[in-house]
Amino acid sequence: MINHDARRSSKPSGAILPAIIVVTVILCASSLVWRSLSLGEGSLSATTGVFAAEAAKSGTGRWEKIVQEAKSEGKVTLLGPETATVRPSMLEAFRKAYPEIELEYQAGSIGSLATRLRAEIAQQKTNFDVVIGGTAVLRNKDILDPLTSRLMVADATDARLWRSSEGNGLKWIDHERQFAAQTSEWVFGYILINSRAVNPASIRSWSDLLKPEWKGQIASHDPRGAGAGQEVASYVLAKLGEKFIVELFKGQDVALTRSYSQVADWVAQGKYQVGIAQVPDRIEALKKEGVALRAYSLQDAAGTLTGGFSVVSVLKGAPHANAATVFVNWVVSKAGQDALHRPQLYPSLRTDVARDYVPDYTLPMAGLNYLDTYTEEFQVTRVKLAKQLGELIGR
Amino acid sequence: MVADVDSTMAGSRSRPPAWSLRFFSSLMLLFGVGFVTLVPLGFLVLNSFNTSQLGQEISWGLEGWRQAFGAPQTVKALLYSFLLSTRTFVGIVLAFLISWLLIRVRIPAFAFIEFSLWMAWFLPPLSVTIGWIALLDPKYGLINKLLAGVLPFAVTLNIYSFFGIVWVHLTLLTVPVMTLLLTPAFRQLDASFEESARACGSGPLTTLTRIVLPLLWPAILVVTIASLIRSLEAFEIEQIIGIPAGIYVYGTRIYDLVRWDPPLYSQAMALSTVFLSALFVLVVLYQGFARRHEFATVRAGGMSYRPVTIGKWRYVFSALLILWIVASVYLPLAMVLVGSFMKFFGMFGIENPFTTRHWSLVLRDPAFAKALRNSLMLGLGVATLGVAVYSLLGYTIQRSRLVGRSALNLLVWIPWAIPGILLGLSLLWIFLSIRLFNFLYGTMFVLIFSVVLKEMPIGIQMFKTAFAQVTEELEHASRVAGAGLFTTLRRITIPLVAPMIVSIFVLVFMSSIRDISTPILLATPATTPLSVLMLERSVAGEVEKAAVIGVILSVLAIITALVMRRLGFRMGAEPV
């Protein structure tokens, strides 16, 4: 057995000088990096859709030129909804419409990627052209390009083809009415029960959920992170107050999960009797297989009017500027709306798109009041509510 | 003798003054390693004091620290993380024993058991955890249903619990990876040490504790530290089974802060300094200990591989291990496979529960083919570059006379001080900001580089222990016989450490194709690997499609592992 230590007694002094030099050089390099990291807002001015504005004025000839240029760009990159079935649906439908332009699709949210996108735009290294998502675009308008000037095809801008809670015309969720177009509107905030085990008459209002028989019987998508759980819980907090939230989530020992399917699976398997904040696609898939699930709105807080992943925006500095224009015009067309919304079971706000696949509990009912959460005003409140939720639910 | 050889070699050729060449090489190496490790760390520490969003006007303050450490959830998450990390100590005892049984005792079916442990570690945690839920959910878990039908008294096993998390970690990650890392060290242990002990009258247990254990201390310590640090960072399993049980850990908290909308980077970065402190303490302890306990176990005169005899106990241990393997590896693996063919994962109650639809949807998705290609490129790129870099640095630290080796030895630990997702963020910023590297942004190289950096500590430390186990006398003998440095490496050193090369190759290959946290912020639509695609599917609640990708990842990894093992044992000394 040989102890190497005896032979390799490295002199500590030998390490000090190079170590000092290296650390000094690295600190200098770091400071250079640091200086370049400070990407002021001014550097974000970059590219805008000037050409598109001109294009809008110059009619069909211009549009054809844009399509030609889009074809030579060859692809458009989309940051789109995470629902798996959306990707193949969009890829197939867009390929049919524009076989020469490849749609590159990455699932994700602009909310968690905004910092990266901002840095990419500042360095002119953007990968994405178009974003389809939720309200997170409202907090990141500085990295968006106006969409209005890109919507050129008459079919896309005809006010008679669009109807929302605001009335006729395309619904814009930003104050400026030019960055973020909402293309679907549906009801969220319903509860889910297994109708073989629970009588719907026993739960008519949110306060019914505070009854002792439901303690330990409720599951929800976790409201402490961004997502469906937070959407519903912040609405309930706004509507019914802090005390109710604490009594519901803590008092009733609500089971939380981060999975977008687990609430429905738990209720289907009888592990929990009531589900909160379950998106409709899993519910409908289970119902198709004969599972007796039922979703419905409660009287004292009927739910929110949400847009889900239906808000269309274009990023500044889009690397495939013409293809992005072609894509956004396509996505607000009848075919584009069907490809985007059918897999998510969302109703399109376009009046000529079929709604036969949309679950009835996501359609607004007459006589019930819904809170439109897809507005800049509510989003400001929501950020505060989200923080408050974390403090109230804690754990 | 060593001094003679040194002087003979030193005087054999005329070169520039050795000290200046050595000093210059040392400086270059230190600068290179220092740059890639300290700059991301500096980015992280500085940004923990930046109260603005990244990319906006910098505003210094302690807000991030106050909010991060002022939250009661942080203290609780820290407590849970430290409690859960105690599994490391259970794991190292089991892994040591299993490695000894597999390599030194050669119990019956050792090859099957070893391969199964490799496979366990290859399985994607997300899918397997869901598999365990289907087996151990207190309400509808298959094992619980079976127990209720068989046992006369009520016993319910609950996966949604502290011990549920420990169980999944131990069986899926902790014990398999520790065994995987310890077995090469055992392979390089000359059995003549044990034979001498036995000749002096020691029994197997005394030999194990008095001879084998002290000889392998450096490897054991490295593996323990690696596992401890990784256990603090872990969040995938905790995210799925911890949250319903009210168990919120440190890794989950950092992940949440980064994925928050808008992201709370300063808080996440402040929290991650705990890693830095933990790592610093562990590394200092390790360096101090290793310096006094480093032994060569492969010596001149050849190696003896005669198995240790423990009588009938070898059958008992073999049976126990096979039972453990079946229960902990094949059962959840079967569940993942079955789950990928189910309409709804684990839901056997519905009519016609099986379908091939998820497979057909996943395989037809163009994103899948691209992600598969990206994963293969990432895995092979990381493994090839990683083995080259780690072995070079490991050899330099262990064998060379370069000035500043101690500093280098400390620097290579730093990537572990940064949680994967924050390492990805800082590299993203560096590649975007430094004009020299700007052209690489958005390419596969950035992903390869990030994972090579992330796996650097374990890769280098394992190579160091491998080189330390090979006595320098063998290399000196080769040099005296006229062989140059490269011939000596090729003919002597590399064959002797071949099992470790194969282990590290497979380890980093697997780490890279499974890693989610490091590439998640760096991957672009063109470079997204399968692991990130699998996470997308899981986030969207499409666990069945995630299971399909999980099965494909496992098959891919197993094939690669088999090929590499075969190749490795051909090029090295297979001790059978």
Side-chain angles (χ1 to χ4, degrees):
Chain A
M1 204 180 301
I2 302 160
N3 190 336
H4 286 307
D5 190 46
R7 284 185 289 128
R8 273 204 316 275
S9 56
S10 63
K11 289 175 192 166
S13 57
I16 291 171
L17 182 60
I20 290 172
I21 296 171
V22 166
V23 168
T24 313
V25 174
I26 284 163
L27 284 176
C28 294
S30 304
S31 72
L32 282 174
V33 173
W34 183 251
R35 218 175 291 166
S36 59
L37 295 184
S38 178
L39 309 166
E41 283 179 25
S43 58
L44 284 177
S45 57
T47 323
T48 57
V50 178
F51 84 92
E54 287 169 5
K57 289 173 199 160
S58 55
T60 317
R62 185 69 178 150
W63 168 249
E64 278 165 6
K65 197 176 172 207
I66 286 174
V67 173
Q68 279 311 314
E69 282 170 10
K71 284 176 185 171
S72 57
E73 284 170 356
K75 75 172 174 183
V76 56
T77 309
L78 170 70
L79 181 62
E82 281 161 340
T83 315
T85 41
V86 177
R87 188 202 318 255
S89 163
M90 299 272 283
L91 292 188
E92 202 182 324
F94 189 67
R95 191 169 45 233
K96 265 186 201 160
Y98 295 98
E100 300 90 346
I101 308 170
E102 185 200 348
L103 172 60
E104 202 165 52
Y105 186 114
Q106 181 162 311
S109 148
I110 190 176
S112 53
L113 289 177
T115 309
R116 165 182 159 178
L117 294 173
R118 195 167 281 113
E120 286 182 350
I121 291 168
Q123 298 295 328
Q124 297 178 329
K125 288 292 241 178
T126 326
N127 287 295
F128 296 99
D129 300 300
V130 181
V131 177
I132 297 179
T135 50
V137 284
L138 293 174
R139 291 183 289 282
N140 299 289
K141 284 193 285 187
D142 61 317
I143 56 170
L144 301 181
D145 210 21
L147 182 63
T148 36
S149 52
R150 289 180 185 264
L151 292 177
M152 302 166 69
V153 176
D155 190 43
T157 51
D158 187 346
R160 289 167 302 176
L161 284 173
W162 297 90
R163 190 177 304 131
S164 68
S165 55
E166 282 184 353
N168 282 353
L170 197 54
K171 187 182 175 193
W172 296 92
I173 61 169
D174 57 306
H175 282 318
E176 296 82 359
R177 301 184 63 80
Q178 61 171 334
F179 291 113
Q182 180 183 342
T183 61
S184 173
E185 192 172 65
W186 48 283
V187 174
F188 196 45
Y190 46 78
I191 62 156
L192 179 69
I193 58 163
N194 188 326
S195 56
R196 286 209 184 105
V198 177
N199 180 1
S202 62
I203 308 171
R204 287 277 166 217
S205 64
W206 284 90
S207 48
D208 285 341
L209 292 176
L210 299 184
K211 289 177 183 167
E213 66 255 40
W214 304 121
K215 189 176 169 79
Q217 298 296 326
I218 306 170
S220 169
H221 189 263
D222 193 347
R224 293 168 301 181
Q230 199 177 81
E231 166 89 15
V232 175
S234 43
Y235 162 68
V236 175
L237 174 61
K239 197 88 178 168
L240 303 174
E242 286 185 8
K243 187 167 171 278
F244 183 83
I245 284 289
V246 174
E247 283 176 355
L248 177 64
F249 282 95
K250 289 181 115 168
Q252 294 296 77
D253 206 12
V254 173
L256 303 177
T257 174
R258 293 283 167 89
S259 163
Y260 271 102
S261 59
Q262 204 159 26
V263 170
D265 289 2
W266 278 344
V267 175
Q269 289 173 295
K271 185 176 169 71
Y272 295 96
Q273 304 298 332
V274 182
I276 298 172
Q278 172 63 55
V279 286
D281 54 345
R282 189 73 170 190
I283 300 174
E284 292 307 301
L286 283 160
K287 276 167 78 175
K288 256 187 205 161
E289 297 302 325
V291 181
L293 292 180
R294 185 172 165 198
Y296 59 99
S297 294
L298 298 174
Q299 287 160 354
D300 47 351
T304 63
L305 279 181
T306 179
F309 303 112
S310 79
V311 179
V312 181
S313 304
V314 176
L315 284 169
K316 263 184 189 164
H320 314 98
N322 295 292
T325 302
V326 171
F327 180 79
V328 292
N329 280 280
W330 172 80
V331 87
V332 294
S333 71
K334 188 179 174 186
Q337 285 292 288
D338 194 65
L340 172 63
H341 295 317
R342 188 178 282 272
Q344 305 188 90
L345 308 180
Y346 292 174
S348 170
L349 287 175
R350 256 188 89 117
T351 52
D352 58 347
V353 176
R355 291 184 163 199
D356 54 332
Y357 55 85
V358 180
D360 55 358
Y361 53 87
T362 63
L363 294 171
M365 284 169 66
L368 289 180
N369 283 324
Y370 302 99
L371 175 68
D372 187 356
T373 54
Y374 271 46
T375 62
E376 289 222 30
E377 289 76 21
F378 185 77
Q379 290 312 311
V380 174
T381 316
R382 191 182 153 177
V383 172
K384 290 179 196 155
L385 290 171
K387 197 177 168 206
Q388 209 178 341
L389 272 175
E391 286 159 8
L392 291 172
I393 299 171
R395 296 198 188 177
Chain B
M1 182 192 166
V2 174
D4 293 346
V5 172
D6 279 347
S7 59
T8 310
M9 288 194 298
S12 60
R13 288 164 220 152
S14 69
R15 343 171 154 167
W19 69 268
S20 63
L21 194 64
R22 199 180 298 160
F23 187 80
F24 183 71
S25 316
S26 307
L27 213 59
M28 290 303 290
L29 199 61
L30 268 173
F31 177 76
V33 176
F35 185 82
V36 298
T37 54
L38 287 179
V39 172
L41 184 68
F43 174 86
L44 183 125
V45 174
L46 283 174
N47 265 302
S48 68
F49 297 101
N50 177 12
T51 55
S52 309
Q53 278 297 316
L54 282 177
Q56 293 173 351
E57 191 91 10
I58 293 167
S59 141
W60 300 110
L62 290 169
E63 197 54 28
W65 285 75
R66 248 197 306 271
Q67 283 177 353
F69 290 99
Q73 296 99 313
T74 302
V75 180
K76 207 169 168 188
L78 256 178
L79 186 69
Y80 266 125
S81 288
F82 278 108
L83 283 175
L84 284 167
S85 70
T86 52
R87 65 177 179 265
T88 301
F89 302 106
V90 178
I92 194 70
V93 172
L94 287 173
F96 180 79
L97 193 64
I98 293 170
S99 304
W100 181 70
L101 289 167
L102 295 178
I103 309 299
R104 311 308 297 173
V105 180
R106 298 262 141 181
I107 53 172
F110 68 90
F112 165 76
I113 295 166
E114 191 184 358
F115 178 75
S116 303
L117 286 168
W118 282 54
M119 204 163 70
W121 189 71
F122 296 162
L123 298 176
L126 276 175
S127 311
V128 180
T129 309
I130 297 163
W132 276 116
I133 291 172
L135 292 167
L136 290 178
D137 184 285
K139 178 87 179 180
Y140 57 80
L142 290 182
I143 292 178
N144 280 320
K145 280 187 176 169
L146 188 74
L147 289 177
V150 172
L151 296 176
F153 47 88
V155 175
T156 307
L157 302 171
N158 187 0
I159 193 70
Y160 298 107
S161 62
F162 179 87
F163 289 106
I165 297 173
V166 170
W167 169 255
V168 178
H169 269 293
L170 269 180
T171 55
L172 189 64
L173 300 166
T174 316
V175 172
V177 77
M178 284 178 150
T179 310
L180 183 69
L181 291 170
L182 280 181
T183 47
F186 270 96
R187 281 203 172 93
Q188 285 186 292
L189 183 66
D190 188 342
S192 59
F193 294 124
E194 290 153 290
E195 283 160 18
S196 307
R198 278 201 298 273
C200 296
S202 300
L205 194 64
T206 315
T207 310
L208 186 68
T209 52
R210 300 286 297 276
I211 305 295
V212 180
L213 192 63
L215 283 171
L216 295 179
W217 261 125
I220 292 168
L221 270 178
V222 169
V223 173
T224 309
I225 291 172
S227 187
L228 265 174
I229 290 290
R230 286 297 171 93
S231 68
L232 284 177
E233 195 190 343
F235 72 92
E236 287 161 304
I237 293 167
E238 288 79 353
Q239 180 107 330
I240 300 173
I241 53 179
I243 287 172
I247 296 170
Y248 208 59
V249 297
Y250 206 61
T252 319
R253 193 147 169 72
I254 290 179
Y255 182 76
D256 278 359
L257 291 168
V258 173
R259 306 286 288 171
W260 197 263
D261 175 19
L264 302 168
Y265 289 127
S266 63
Q267 285 193 48
M269 289 171 181
L271 283 182
S272 68
T273 53
V274 168
F275 286 81
L276 187 62
S277 320
L279 187 75
F280 182 76
V281 172
L282 290 171
V283 169
V284 167
L285 287 175
Y286 167 73
Q287 304 278 45
F289 186 89
R291 205 165 286 147
R292 295 191 304 275
H293 295 81
E294 209 165 72
F295 306 110
T297 56
V298 179
R299 302 172 304 169
M303 293 258 289
S304 163
Y305 293 113
R306 197 183 311 161
V308 176
T309 47
I310 57 167
K312 285 177 189 166
W313 282 104
R314 60 201 296 269
Y315 296 103
V316 175
F317 282 121
S318 177
L320 282 174
L321 279 179
I322 290 171
L323 196 66
W324 156 279
I325 291 293
V326 169
S328 70
V329 182
Y330 289 101
L331 209 55
L333 176 64
M335 219 35 241
V336 176
L337 188 63
V338 170
S340 72
F341 285 102
M342 292 189 78
K343 284 179 181 162
F344 303 100
F345 201 116
M347 234 181 266
F348 292 94
I350 60 169
E351 214 173 308
N352 304 322
F354 296 103
T355 179
T356 53
R357 189 167 170 268
H358 306 300
W359 278 85
S360 110
L361 279 174
V362 169
L363 296 177
R364 279 206 327 248
D365 186 350
F368 170 77
K370 198 183 270 184
L372 179 64
R373 196 190 60 214
N374 288 338
S375 279
L376 283 172
M377 276 171 67
L378 180 66
L380 292 172
V382 170
T384 311
L385 184 66
V387 164
V389 171
Y390 306 153
S391 55
L392 179 76
L393 287 171
Y395 191 83
T396 305
I397 294 169
Q398 193 62 35
R399 286 280 201 263
S400 77
R401 303 282 189 275
L402 288 184
V403 189
R405 279 187 303 119
S406 310
L408 194 63
N409 206 5
L410 277 176
L411 285 175
V412 296
W413 285 97
I414 286 176
W416 271 355
I418 311 172
I421 195 162
L422 294 178
L423 180 68
L425 178 74
S426 52
L427 289 177
L428 179 139
W429 222 255
I430 289 161
F431 275 100
L432 268 175
S433 313
I434 300 179
R435 234 168 254 285
L436 187 66
F437 307 133
N438 197 273
F439 74 99
L440 290 167
Y441 184 75
T443 65
M444 187 52 82
F445 176 81
V446 178
L447 260 70
I448 292 173
F449 178 82
S450 67
V451 185
V452 167
L453 190 60
K454 178 74 185 162
E455 300 301 328
M456 186 191 261
I458 187 73
I460 291 178
Q461 296 312 319
M462 292 315 293
F463 267 117
K464 267 180 59 195
T465 56
F467 289 128
Q469 283 184 295
V470 178
T471 176
E472 282 184 76
E473 287 169 6
L474 293 168
E475 290 171 5
H476 288 312
S478 167
R479 302 289 293 273
V480 167
L485 175 65
F486 290 106
T487 310
T488 303
L489 283 174
R490 187 168 58 83
R491 303 280 299 272
I492 307 291
T493 316
I494 290 175
L496 285 171
V497 296
M500 187 61 89
I501 292 175
V502 176
S503 292
I504 300 293
F505 187 97
V506 177
L507 183 92
V508 291
F509 176 84
M510 273 319 300
S511 293
S512 54
I513 67 168
R514 280 170 22 141
D515 195 355
I516 293 174
S517 60
T518 317
I520 193 165
L521 289 176
L522 291 169
T524 64
T527 59
T528 300
L530 270 183
S531 57
V532 174
L533 194 68
M534 186 166 74
L535 181 75
E536 278 178 17
R537 299 283 61 82
S538 300
V539 167
E542 313 212 358
V543 284
E544 300 79 16
K545 292 185 186 69
V548 171
I549 300 174
V551 170
I552 294 166
L553 270 176
S554 306
V555 171
L556 187 75
I558 290 163
I559 293 170
T560 313
L562 282 172
V563 171
M564 284 313 298
R565 273 168 66 91
R566 191 162 285 250
L567 189 71
F569 290 144
R570 244 184 233 162
M571 65 188 253
E574 161 60 319
V576 178

